[in-house]
Amino acid sequence: MTAVRVMIVDDSVTMRAMLEQVMSADDGCHVVGIAADAETALRLMKPSWPDVMTPDVTMPGIGGLQFLRDIDGQRHPPIVVVSSTSKAGTQESAQAIEAGASACFDKADLLADARRFMRVLRKAAQSKSVPIRRGPGGHGSVAVIANAEA
Amino acid sequence: MERSLLYVSQQSLSSLNREQAIEEIVAEARSHNALRGITGALACTQDHFAQLLEGATEELDDLMDRIERDHRHVDVTIIQVTPILCRRLPGWSMAYSGPSTYVARQIVPLIGGTTRMNSMRIERLVSLLVGLASPVSAET
């Protein structure tokens, strides 16, 4: 099985370490980049080209939602939003999906449900590098798997 | 949500005033942590610091930013971050039991080669840090 190559994007050094810890514990996952903000993530994205990116919604500068909107229409890796405000059914979760995220995952479940998190990453990675084209209804062409396993 | 965070760093202290410098680090940490609701324990070897911290994520972020910018720490590596329901070091703004050959002998093999630190070594290091705070009474 080919390892899923992931880029972590989070302004919290604690959360970056925790995400790296969860991902590194899984042989099927390889962290190829770590960014503390969306600007750095955009800069690192092209040379490292991960299979999936995991931005937080709330970040200084360009937040996660704005990050999604900024790359709307461009070719980019699938995105799984990892945030404490992205529980299933929340407005933030719906906005992230509408902005082009493949899935959302609640930070609070990261360690307790690491296996589900890894499944969500793998599933998102399967929809590799599809340009998001939002239609009038707001939904992109990428299959929405947000909270599918919640 | 509160978390515990374990990190290891190389220390860049001169051997001439090493003990005094560590006492200053501990004093600064106790003052800062008490204000920020952070609890923790510190252990030192000849070359490394190992510290277990407990607190809110935002406070741990700020503290780790400070530590990464602190010239006394080099190669700061976060080893483990875990959500916690209750603290293992309540009452300790920073537990530090001073230089000890015994502690150094216990910790050196656990800290060496942090890049391949497995879960058993991590748990032993955490237990040791918690244990260092246990024999004496809390100081807040």
Side-chain angles (χ1 to χ4, degrees), chain B residues 41 52 54 88-89 92 95 125-135:
Chain B
L52 181 66
E54 301 170 324
R88 287 198 266 188
L89 300 163
W92 280 105
L125 183 53
V126 168
S127 298
L128 199 63
L129 284 161
V130 172
L132 289 176
S134 303

Side-chain angles (χ1 to χ4, degrees), chain A residues 91-116:
Chain A
Q91 189 182 0
E92 287 80 4
S93 172
Q95 285 176 333
I97 296 300
E98 191 177 331
S102 297
C104 297
F105 200 90
D106 187 355
K107 273 181 182 176
D109 295 336
L110 263 182
L111 282 188
D113 214 349
R115 291 174 69 175
R116 183 166 65 87

Side-chain angles (χ1 to χ4, degrees), chain A residues 12-15 17-18 21 108 111, chain B residues 3 57 60-61 64 78 80-81 83:
Chain A
S12 162
V13 65
T14 307
M15 289 312 306
M18 195 162 153
Q21 178 185 318
L111 282 188
Chain B
R3 301 182 197 280
T57 304
L60 293 178
D61 280 344
M64 290 312 296
I78 298 176
Q80 186 187 55
V81 180

Side-chain angles (χ1 to χ4, degrees), chain B residues 43-109:
Chain B
C44 305
T45 69
Q46 196 66 32
D47 303 312
H48 291 89
F49 291 117
Q51 207 167 3
L52 181 66
L53 300 166
E54 301 170 324
T57 304
E58 299 75 21
E59 301 297 351
L60 293 178
D61 280 344
D62 287 344
L63 179 55
M64 290 312 296
D65 279 345
R66 282 166 61 107
I67 290 169
E68 285 182 344
R69 282 187 274 111
D70 189 329
H71 63 90
R72 296 167 295 190
H73 295 268
V74 181
D75 287 341
V76 179
T77 306
I78 298 176
I79 304 294
Q80 186 187 55
V81 180
T82 316
I84 50 172
L85 294 175
C86 61
R87 298 191 184 201
R88 287 198 266 188
L89 300 163
W92 280 105
S93 55
M94 183 49 60
Y96 175 62
S97 58
S100 157
T101 307
Y102 167 76
V103 170
R105 206 180 294 142
Q106 298 295 310
I107 285 184
V108 165

Side-chain angles (χ1 to χ4, degrees), chain A residues 35-103:
Chain A
D37 52 58
E39 290 88 345
T40 307
L42 286 170
R43 204 170 59 245
L44 295 176
M45 185 177 83
K46 287 187 179 170
S48 60
W49 204 259
D51 296 324
V52 61
M53 297 172 79
T54 62
D56 186 8
V57 169
T58 313
M59 290 188 289
I62 304 173
L65 284 178
Q66 191 56 46
F67 172 72
L68 283 161
R69 289 168 186 141
D70 284 354
I71 58 174
D72 182 29
Q74 298 177 35
R75 182 172 175 266
H76 64 79
I79 289 170
V80 174
V81 169
V82 180
S83 172
S84 51
T85 58
S86 60
K87 272 190 192 302
T90 61
Q91 189 182 0
E92 287 80 4
S93 172
Q95 285 176 333
I97 296 300
E98 191 177 331
S102 297

